[in-house]
Amino acid sequence: MGVTVDVHEVFKYPFEQVVASFLRKYPNPMDKNVISVKIVEEKKDVSTGIIYRKRIAVCQNVVPEILRKVNILKVPNVQLEEESWFNPQERNMAIRSHCLTWTQYASMKEESVFRESIENPNWTEFIQKGRISITGAGFLNCVLETFASTFLRQGAQKEEEIWTRRDTSRMCTHRGETL
């Protein structure tokens, strides 16, 4: 069993701006679930110009309290590892992330790509595929997968809302107004 999430968005902003925003978006006061993000490795391939980064994010455990009665779910924080490959020449960035917490019971993997839009070179496409599988929690497997699916979909919607707000804010700023 398992839950998959597929997202495809086009942001009406240049690739460099979207990637820069992605790399610095956490932590922030709008999303209190992400406590910290730390770069643990960063290197640049001088022949290709590709920048590799490995980051660890510490997030609040968002599993509902009722489910935390189960011992394995009682942890206060969850750690995620994210690896990215930023290619400025080809204007794309590939990202892979997975959960470091609960690895004996759950598998969470995401693969994402930011790339210059084919439709408009000043826009950026975002493609994300994710999968969560819960095992070893007995009858709670299905309940936890349903919760994880809802949480991931809400996160994708929140990301879209942030960029939509930026579009609105940018339009108002161009007219000399502020929100």
Side-chain angles (χ1 to χ4, degrees):
M1 195 127 169
V3 175
T4 59
V5 175
D6 293 312
V7 177
H8 184 220
E9 295 289 333
V10 176
F11 301 118
K12 295 181 179 180
Y13 291 94
F15 169 77
E16 291 79 9
Q17 184 178 354
V18 172
V19 167
S21 292
F22 171 80
L23 290 172
R24 67 174 183 262
K25 76 178 182 179
Y26 294 118
N28 73 64
M30 300 295 285
D31 190 345
K32 304 232 187 265
N33 289 332
V34 181
I35 298 165
S36 68
V37 177
K38 179 181 177 187
I39 296 174
V40 294
E41 185 178 353
E42 185 171 355
K43 57 188 173 186
K44 182 176 183 176
D45 184 320
V46 286
S47 64
T48 63
I50 295 173
I51 299 169
Y52 168 81
R53 285 183 191 91
K54 183 188 289 188
R55 306 189 308 172
I56 303 292
V58 177
C59 305
Q60 287 184 353
N61 182 353
V62 295
V63 172
E65 285 295 326
I66 188 79
L67 296 177
R68 288 196 214 178
K69 303 289 184 211
V70 178
N71 242 2
I72 61 171
L73 301 176
K74 282 186 183 178
V75 299
N77 299 321
V78 176
Q79 289 191 340
L80 305 171
E81 180 181 81
E82 173 192 272
E83 295 179 282
S84 65
W85 295 264
F86 172 64
N87 187 331
Q89 279 90 17
E90 294 185 12
R91 297 185 79 202
N92 67 50
M93 184 166 79
I95 305 156
R96 255 193 340 231
S97 57
H98 65 275
C99 188
L100 298 174
T101 308
W102 299 314
T103 55
Q104 68 273 35
Y105 303 104
S107 168
M108 187 286 292
K109 294 181 182 183
E110 268 181 4
E111 292 188 7
S112 307
V113 174
F114 287 99
R115 66 181 180 207
E116 180 181 290
S117 172
I118 297 168
E119 189 178 341
N120 182 330
N122 292 316
W123 295 354
T124 305
E125 279 186 78
F126 173 65
I127 302 161
Q128 182 178 63
K129 295 183 183 296
R131 180 165 178 77
I132 295 178
S133 298
I134 311 288
T135 57
F139 71 95
L140 288 177
N141 288 358
C142 187
V143 172
L144 291 169
E145 285 178 350
T146 302
F147 169 75
S149 172
T150 302
F151 184 75
L152 288 177
R153 289 184 207 295
Q154 286 173 347
Q157 287 173 340
K158 195 182 301 183
E159 186 72 27
E160 182 180 358
E161 288 169 12
I162 288 169
W163 283 98
T164 302
R165 254 187 264 129
R166 287 183 183 172
D167 284 342
T168 306
S169 174
R170 188 175 187 185
M171 289 183 329
C172 291
T173 303
H174 284 308
R175 292 184 299 200
E177 302 170 2
T178 57
L179 292 177

